[in-house]
Amino acid sequence: MASEITYAEVKFKNASPAAVVEVPPETKKHEPRPQKYPQWLPWLISLLLLLVCVALVIALLVAPFSRKGDQPTALQQAFTEWRCISAEPQGKERGWTCCPKGWKNFQKSCYYISDDMMSWAESVQNCTGMGSHLVVINSKAEQVFLSKGLPATSKGPNFYIGLRAEKVGEWHWVDQTPFNVSAAFWRKGEPSNTVDEKCVVIHRPEAPPNNWNDARCENHHRVCEAAAVTV
């Protein structure tokens, strides 16, 4: 039995009497244009951007303790923990004066006061190893500040400063600052100027400012000094 075929009439509104099939125009084959830049240029740009990023990271890491044109000091390299106080205004800017944690700050210097005792030579080496030197006292204000800040200790009353005589009576500061007689703070009757007492200490029990003794270069406490870091 043959199957029945069903037909339906479909009318399209506004249909044209005859269907027209539009054939798209033949696609033109575009010949590849020559590159206007060398193939290695994107790699060069990427490398430059990477270097810029690295430079920015380094700048952010060293910025807190660096100034224009300065290299990190030995003191900055020796310590990671710092204590900063607001510095005096300079022009329109306001900065901070920083010292290693545990050091005392006075004006533009940082001071380390030891609780152990060493000979003169060992004291010089110890201060140098921390990026500093035995203290060089330049004014009465500095002398009073240091004297009042020295702790009472049962180990000994004397604290080395950076003054020493190569020859009896010829005093020299460790940083080559000229010795100024008018800024010397000897105790009454001092210095003894004897061949066995060529190193100078602050004798803590004596009231400031005049409390320097020349003493034997044996074991004493010490005061180290370094320039403060300004940020």
Side-chain angles (χ1 to χ4, degrees), residues 100-136:
K101 188 176 180 180
W103 291 48
K104 295 180 180 293
N105 170 250
F106 178 73
Q107 295 179 350
K108 297 182 179 181
S109 293
C110 302
Y111 303 91
Y112 169 76
I113 300 173
S114 76
D115 57 3
D116 60 339
M117 300 171 65
M118 294 181 177
S119 68
W120 167 269
E122 291 172 327
S123 296
V124 170
Q125 289 182 344
N126 178 260
C127 291
T128 301
M130 294 189 293
S132 61
H133 54 75
L134 282 173
V135 62
V136 174

Tab-separated table of all heavy atoms in Angstrom, residues 100-136:
chain	number	residue	atom	x	y	z
A	100	PRO	N	69.539	52.933	65.997
A	100	PRO	CA	69.246	51.522	66.264
A	100	PRO	C	68.514	51.366	67.593
A	100	PRO	O	68.724	52.139	68.534
A	100	PRO	CB	70.639	50.884	66.321
A	100	PRO	CG	71.508	51.785	65.508
A	100	PRO	CD	70.982	53.164	65.759
A	101	LYS	N	67.658	50.375	67.668
A	101	LYS	CA	66.909	50.118	68.896
A	101	LYS	C	67.879	49.844	70.041
A	101	LYS	O	68.817	49.069	69.900
A	101	LYS	CB	65.983	48.923	68.691
A	101	LYS	CG	65.030	48.688	69.847
A	101	LYS	CD	64.080	47.546	69.536
A	101	LYS	CE	63.110	47.301	70.686
A	101	LYS	NZ	62.174	46.187	70.373
A	102	GLY	N	67.669	50.517	71.181
A	102	GLY	CA	68.540	50.363	72.332
A	102	GLY	C	69.622	51.430	72.426
A	102	GLY	O	70.307	51.527	73.438
A	103	TRP	N	69.786	52.251	71.370
A	103	TRP	CA	70.747	53.347	71.379
A	103	TRP	C	70.038	54.621	71.810
A	103	TRP	O	68.822	54.758	71.680
A	103	TRP	CB	71.364	53.538	69.999
A	103	TRP	CG	72.278	52.422	69.556
A	103	TRP	CD1	72.018	51.085	69.604
A	103	TRP	CD2	73.578	52.565	68.978
A	103	TRP	NE1	73.078	50.380	69.100
A	103	TRP	CE2	74.044	51.259	68.708
A	103	TRP	CE3	74.384	53.649	68.667
A	103	TRP	CZ2	75.288	51.015	68.126
A	103	TRP	CZ3	75.625	53.413	68.092
A	103	TRP	CH2	76.073	52.110	67.831
A	104	LYS	N	70.819	55.593	72.318
A	104	LYS	CA	70.265	56.885	72.719
A	104	LYS	C	70.510	57.906	71.612
A	104	LYS	O	71.540	57.863	70.928
A	104	LYS	CB	70.902	57.371	74.030
A	104	LYS	CG	70.590	56.486	75.234
A	104	LYS	CD	71.264	57.028	76.487
A	104	LYS	CE	70.960	56.167	77.710
A	104	LYS	NZ	69.532	56.237	78.079
A	105	ASN	N	69.569	58.807	71.443
A	105	ASN	CA	69.703	59.852	70.425
A	105	ASN	C	69.908	61.206	71.079
A	105	ASN	O	69.234	61.559	72.041
A	105	ASN	CB	68.466	59.889	69.532
A	105	ASN	CG	68.450	61.110	68.621
A	105	ASN	OD1	67.641	62.012	68.814
A	105	ASN	ND2	69.343	61.153	67.661
A	106	PHE	N	70.864	61.977	70.554
A	106	PHE	CA	71.054	63.361	70.973
A	106	PHE	C	71.488	64.154	69.742
A	106	PHE	O	72.481	63.818	69.099
A	106	PHE	CB	72.112	63.470	72.072
A	106	PHE	CG	72.387	64.889	72.524
A	106	PHE	CD1	71.452	65.572	73.294
A	106	PHE	CD2	73.563	65.534	72.165
A	106	PHE	CE1	71.694	66.876	73.717
A	106	PHE	CE2	73.813	66.827	72.580
A	106	PHE	CZ	72.873	67.501	73.365
A	107	GLN	N	70.684	65.188	69.429
A	107	GLN	CA	70.922	65.997	68.235
A	107	GLN	C	71.041	65.092	67.005
A	107	GLN	O	70.103	64.397	66.669
A	107	GLN	CB	72.134	66.898	68.462
A	107	GLN	CG	71.894	67.926	69.568
A	107	GLN	CD	73.081	68.821	69.852
A	107	GLN	OE1	74.197	68.584	69.354
A	107	GLN	NE2	72.877	69.857	70.652
A	108	LYS	N	72.187	65.065	66.346
A	108	LYS	CA	72.311	64.287	65.105
A	108	LYS	C	73.143	63.022	65.280
A	108	LYS	O	73.654	62.456	64.310
A	108	LYS	CB	72.921	65.156	64.001
A	108	LYS	CG	72.056	66.347	63.616
A	108	LYS	CD	72.692	67.148	62.493
A	108	LYS	CE	71.807	68.331	62.103
A	108	LYS	NZ	72.424	69.112	60.991
A	109	SER	N	73.269	62.548	66.528
A	109	SER	CA	74.084	61.363	66.793
A	109	SER	C	73.305	60.303	67.557
A	109	SER	O	72.311	60.591	68.228
A	109	SER	CB	75.336	61.744	67.593
A	109	SER	OG	76.212	62.542	66.821
A	110	CYS	N	73.790	59.060	67.425
A	110	CYS	CA	73.260	57.918	68.174
A	110	CYS	C	74.378	57.387	69.072
A	110	CYS	O	75.548	57.347	68.660
A	110	CYS	CB	72.818	56.809	67.217
A	110	CYS	SG	71.567	57.310	66.006
A	111	TYR	N	74.011	56.961	70.288
A	111	TYR	CA	75.012	56.518	71.264
A	111	TYR	C	74.647	55.148	71.820
A	111	TYR	O	73.499	54.903	72.207
A	111	TYR	CB	75.111	57.513	72.424
A	111	TYR	CG	75.445	58.918	71.991
A	111	TYR	CD1	74.436	59.834	71.700
A	111	TYR	CD2	76.769	59.335	71.870
A	111	TYR	CE1	74.732	61.125	71.296
A	111	TYR	CE2	77.080	60.626	71.467
A	111	TYR	CZ	76.061	61.514	71.180
A	111	TYR	OH	76.362	62.788	70.766
A	112	TYR	N	75.652	54.293	71.864
A	112	TYR	CA	75.498	52.978	72.484
A	112	TYR	C	76.303	52.963	73.778
A	112	TYR	O	77.501	53.261	73.787
A	112	TYR	CB	76.017	51.883	71.555
A	112	TYR	CG	76.127	50.526	72.216
A	112	TYR	CD1	74.991	49.749	72.454
A	112	TYR	CD2	77.366	50.025	72.607
A	112	TYR	CE1	75.087	48.508	73.073
A	112	TYR	CE2	77.470	48.777	73.227
A	112	TYR	CZ	76.330	48.032	73.454
A	112	TYR	OH	76.431	46.813	74.056
A	113	ILE	N	75.657	52.611	74.886
A	113	ILE	CA	76.306	52.540	76.194
A	113	ILE	C	76.353	51.072	76.602
A	113	ILE	O	75.310	50.432	76.765
A	113	ILE	CB	75.545	53.383	77.239
A	113	ILE	CG1	75.515	54.851	76.794
A	113	ILE	CG2	76.187	53.246	78.608
A	113	ILE	CD1	74.640	55.742	77.659
A	114	SER	N	77.549	50.540	76.770
A	114	SER	CA	77.697	49.100	77.011
A	114	SER	C	77.412	48.742	78.467
A	114	SER	O	77.576	49.558	79.368
A	114	SER	CB	79.115	48.654	76.646
A	114	SER	OG	80.030	49.046	77.654
A	115	ASP	N	77.004	47.483	78.659
A	115	ASP	CA	76.866	46.972	80.028
A	115	ASP	C	77.965	45.958	80.347
A	115	ASP	O	78.030	45.438	81.457
A	115	ASP	CB	75.481	46.348	80.243
A	115	ASP	CG	75.190	45.230	79.250
A	115	ASP	OD1	76.083	44.896	78.425
A	115	ASP	OD2	74.079	44.679	79.284
A	116	ASP	N	78.820	45.673	79.335
A	116	ASP	CA	79.963	44.806	79.589
A	116	ASP	C	81.244	45.637	79.561
A	116	ASP	O	81.208	46.843	79.308
A	116	ASP	CB	80.033	43.677	78.557
A	116	ASP	CG	80.184	44.202	77.141
A	116	ASP	OD1	79.840	45.379	76.888
A	116	ASP	OD2	80.656	43.451	76.271
A	117	MET	N	82.369	45.017	79.815
A	117	MET	CA	83.635	45.730	79.920
A	117	MET	C	84.676	45.106	78.993
A	117	MET	O	84.730	43.893	78.827
A	117	MET	CB	84.130	45.727	81.366
A	117	MET	CG	83.162	46.390	82.336
A	117	MET	SD	83.626	46.161	84.091
A	117	MET	CE	85.168	47.066	84.158
A	118	MET	N	85.495	45.980	78.398
A	118	MET	CA	86.546	45.547	77.482
A	118	MET	C	87.751	46.452	77.642
A	118	MET	O	87.634	47.571	78.180
A	118	MET	CB	86.076	45.609	76.028
A	118	MET	CG	84.981	44.654	75.642
A	118	MET	SD	84.546	44.832	73.888
A	118	MET	CE	83.319	43.546	73.708
A	119	SER	N	88.882	46.002	77.122
A	119	SER	CA	90.064	46.864	77.072
A	119	SER	C	89.850	47.951	76.027
A	119	SER	O	88.885	47.914	75.254
A	119	SER	CB	91.305	46.029	76.706
A	119	SER	OG	91.211	45.572	75.359
A	120	TRP	N	90.782	48.913	75.987
A	120	TRP	CA	90.676	49.992	75.004
A	120	TRP	C	90.644	49.430	73.582
A	120	TRP	O	89.756	49.785	72.790
A	120	TRP	CB	91.839	50.972	75.172
A	120	TRP	CG	91.985	51.925	74.010
A	120	TRP	CD1	92.747	51.742	72.909
A	120	TRP	CD2	91.328	53.187	73.842
A	120	TRP	NE1	92.620	52.827	72.058
A	120	TRP	CE2	91.752	53.715	72.614
A	120	TRP	CE3	90.424	53.917	74.623
A	120	TRP	CZ2	91.310	54.948	72.130
A	120	TRP	CZ3	89.982	55.141	74.155
A	120	TRP	CH2	90.423	55.645	72.912
A	121	ALA	N	91.614	48.569	73.239
A	121	ALA	CA	91.699	48.036	71.877
A	121	ALA	C	90.437	47.261	71.510
A	121	ALA	O	89.910	47.398	70.391
A	121	ALA	CB	92.937	47.156	71.737
A	122	GLU	N	89.927	46.466	72.431
A	122	GLU	CA	88.708	45.710	72.164
A	122	GLU	C	87.503	46.636	72.022
A	122	GLU	O	86.612	46.385	71.202
A	122	GLU	CB	88.464	44.703	73.293
A	122	GLU	CG	89.481	43.564	73.336
A	122	GLU	CD	89.331	42.704	74.578
A	122	GLU	OE1	88.962	43.249	75.644
A	122	GLU	OE2	89.584	41.495	74.479
A	123	SER	N	87.472	47.697	72.809
A	123	SER	CA	86.375	48.665	72.728
A	123	SER	C	86.362	49.355	71.368
A	123	SER	O	85.301	49.551	70.764
A	123	SER	CB	86.491	49.698	73.849
A	123	SER	OG	86.339	49.089	75.116
A	124	VAL	N	87.540	49.724	70.879
A	124	VAL	CA	87.638	50.348	69.553
A	124	VAL	C	87.094	49.396	68.495
A	124	VAL	O	86.300	49.785	67.624
A	124	VAL	CB	89.098	50.728	69.244
A	124	VAL	CG1	89.256	51.147	67.785
A	124	VAL	CG2	89.555	51.862	70.158
A	125	GLN	N	87.498	48.134	68.545
A	125	GLN	CA	87.048	47.142	67.569
A	125	GLN	C	85.547	46.896	67.666
A	125	GLN	O	84.852	46.747	66.655
A	125	GLN	CB	87.803	45.826	67.758
A	125	GLN	CG	89.267	45.891	67.341
A	125	GLN	CD	89.969	44.554	67.499
A	125	GLN	OE1	89.467	43.652	68.175
A	125	GLN	NE2	91.124	44.415	66.881
A	126	ASN	N	85.038	46.836	68.887
A	126	ASN	CA	83.613	46.586	69.079
A	126	ASN	C	82.770	47.702	68.473
A	126	ASN	O	81.778	47.437	67.771
A	126	ASN	CB	83.310	46.440	70.569
A	126	ASN	CG	81.833	46.216	70.833
A	126	ASN	OD1	81.114	47.141	71.201
A	126	ASN	ND2	81.364	44.990	70.652
A	127	CYS	N	83.142	48.943	68.735
A	127	CYS	CA	82.391	50.071	68.161
A	127	CYS	C	82.483	50.061	66.642
A	127	CYS	O	81.475	50.250	65.938
A	127	CYS	CB	82.918	51.391	68.718
A	127	CYS	SG	82.568	51.676	70.471
A	128	THR	N	83.690	49.828	66.118
A	128	THR	CA	83.872	49.809	64.669
A	128	THR	C	83.028	48.723	64.028
A	128	THR	O	82.431	48.923	62.966
A	128	THR	CB	85.358	49.585	64.322
A	128	THR	OG1	86.135	50.637	64.895
A	128	THR	CG2	85.576	49.571	62.812
A	129	GLY	N	82.941	47.570	64.674
A	129	GLY	CA	82.149	46.469	64.142
A	129	GLY	C	80.667	46.779	64.059
A	129	GLY	O	79.938	46.138	63.301
A	130	MET	N	80.196	47.760	64.820
A	130	MET	CA	78.791	48.166	64.769
A	130	MET	C	78.577	49.380	63.875
A	130	MET	O	77.505	49.977	63.876
A	130	MET	CB	78.285	48.471	66.184
A	130	MET	CG	78.246	47.266	67.096
A	130	MET	SD	77.411	47.589	68.680
A	130	MET	CE	78.553	48.753	69.447
A	131	GLY	N	79.609	49.764	63.117
A	131	GLY	CA	79.473	50.922	62.242
A	131	GLY	C	79.566	52.239	62.971
A	131	GLY	O	78.987	53.239	62.539
A	132	SER	N	80.300	52.266	64.095
A	132	SER	CA	80.420	53.477	64.910
A	132	SER	C	81.866	53.628	65.367
A	132	SER	O	82.764	52.980	64.849
A	132	SER	CB	79.472	53.393	66.111
A	132	SER	OG	79.796	52.271	66.931
A	133	HIS	N	82.091	54.508	66.351
A	133	HIS	CA	83.414	54.679	66.948
A	133	HIS	C	83.226	55.114	68.403
A	133	HIS	O	82.127	55.532	68.796
A	133	HIS	CB	84.243	55.721	66.181
A	133	HIS	CG	83.551	57.045	66.024
A	133	HIS	ND1	83.413	57.960	67.060
A	133	HIS	CD2	82.943	57.617	64.955
A	133	HIS	CE1	82.765	59.029	66.631
A	133	HIS	NE2	82.459	58.852	65.360
A	134	LEU	N	84.267	54.985	69.196
A	134	LEU	CA	84.181	55.498	70.565
A	134	LEU	C	83.805	56.975	70.510
A	134	LEU	O	84.278	57.718	69.645
A	134	LEU	CB	85.502	55.307	71.300
A	134	LEU	CG	85.785	53.887	71.811
A	134	LEU	CD1	87.201	53.804	72.372
A	134	LEU	CD2	84.774	53.476	72.880
A	135	VAL	N	82.970	57.398	71.438
A	135	VAL	CA	82.359	58.720	71.351
A	135	VAL	C	83.390	59.847	71.323
A	135	VAL	O	84.392	59.818	72.044
A	135	VAL	CB	81.361	58.933	72.519
A	135	VAL	CG1	82.068	58.882	73.870
A	135	VAL	CG2	80.616	60.245	72.368
A	136	VAL	N	83.123	60.825	70.467
A	136	VAL	CA	83.920	62.053	70.388
A	136	VAL	C	83.027	63.186	70.893
A	136	VAL	O	81.986	63.485	70.299
A	136	VAL	CB	84.387	62.324	68.947
A	136	VAL	CG1	85.095	63.670	68.854
A	136	VAL	CG2	85.302	61.197	68.470
